[in-house]
């Protein structure tokens, strides 16, 4: 996988390298990432910067399947670095448009957004929209019809 990455490298902690397949089936051996959530888009940092200091391999790849935001985030970074496009552009051109998913994007359109609420003391309190530094794992917004 390091052959595809230009901005960061996955540490060679174990003899077996992490593959794209490991990323996609959640068996790359990474743990979950903390500090991913922010509440304003201007608080997000570039994906490679966010991942670079957090790439800690805990297990041999391919041994244990454990959900990890690392996998999809790294896969998204690879798509960006190989294609030369933002993941948003790549997904729009190669997936959403060809499948005629006109109400799906990686951009929040507040005209169509569903807002989350937290129930407290008998009332529903609107919650702020959440943004994530690991956007490949979190930022697709869609409708039931598009799905």
């Amino acid at each position: 996988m390091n052959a595809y990455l230009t901005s960061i490298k996955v540490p060679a902690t174990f003899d077996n390298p992490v593959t794209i397949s490991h990323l996609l089936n959640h068996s790359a051996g990474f743990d979950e990432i903390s500090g991913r959530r922010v509440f304003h888009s201007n608080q997000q940092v570039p994906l490679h910067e966010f991942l670079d200091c957090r790439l800690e391999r805990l297990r041999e790849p391919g041994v244990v399947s454990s959900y990890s935001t690392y996998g999809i985030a790294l896969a998204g970074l690879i798509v960006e670095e190989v294609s030369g496009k933002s993941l948003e552009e790549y997904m729009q051109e190669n997936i959403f448009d060809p499948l005629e998913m006109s109400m799906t994007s990686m951009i929040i359109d507040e005209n169509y957004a569903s807002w989350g609420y937290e129930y407290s003391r008998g009332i529903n309190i609107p919650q702020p929209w959440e943004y994530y530094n690991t956007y490949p794992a979190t930022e697709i917004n869609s409708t039931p019809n598009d799905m």
Side-chain angles (χ1 to χ4, degrees):
M1 171 178 35
N2 279 336
Y4 301 110
L5 291 168
T6 58
S7 60
I8 63 174
K9 295 297 179 199
V10 176
T13 308
F14 299 98
D15 291 337
N16 293 330
V18 175
T19 66
I20 302 288
S21 179
H22 293 136
L23 297 179
L24 298 178
N25 69 27
H26 300 287
S27 67
F30 295 114
D31 199 3
E32 195 50 58
I33 308 172
S34 62
R36 300 179 313 120
R37 183 174 61 170
V38 294
F39 291 101
H40 301 283
S41 61
N42 64 356
Q43 294 173 318
Q44 289 176 298
V45 298
L47 183 58
H48 69 276
E49 286 180 22
F50 182 79
L51 292 174
D52 189 35
C53 62
R54 291 173 173 85
L55 286 176
E56 184 178 346
R57 295 174 63 187
L58 301 178
R59 292 176 288 283
E60 186 79 31
V63 177
V64 175
S65 181
S66 175
Y67 182 80
S68 167
T69 305
Y70 275 112
I72 300 306
L74 277 172
L77 183 60
I78 289 170
V79 168
E80 289 185 340
E81 293 189 356
V82 169
S83 72
K85 298 180 179 190
S86 71
L87 185 61
E88 175 189 324
E89 290 175 289
Y90 185 88
M91 297 288 286
Q92 192 68 50
E93 292 174 12
N94 294 283
I95 297 174
F96 305 149
D97 288 346
L99 293 175
E100 298 180 2
M101 297 173 77
S102 61
M103 298 297 294
T104 301
S105 73
M106 293 184 73
I107 299 171
I108 298 169
D109 184 337
E110 292 188 17
N111 296 313
Y112 299 104
S114 292
W115 297 96
Y117 293 83
E118 188 171 297
Y119 188 75
S120 178
R121 299 181 184 186
I123 59 172
N124 287 312
I125 302 169
Q127 299 298 298
W129 194 267
E130 298 173 349
Y131 297 85
Y132 288 84
N133 287 312
T134 52
Y135 58 86
T138 56
E139 295 296 318
I140 295 175
N141 302 287
S142 191
T143 63
N145 285 341
D146 271 10
M147 297 309 280

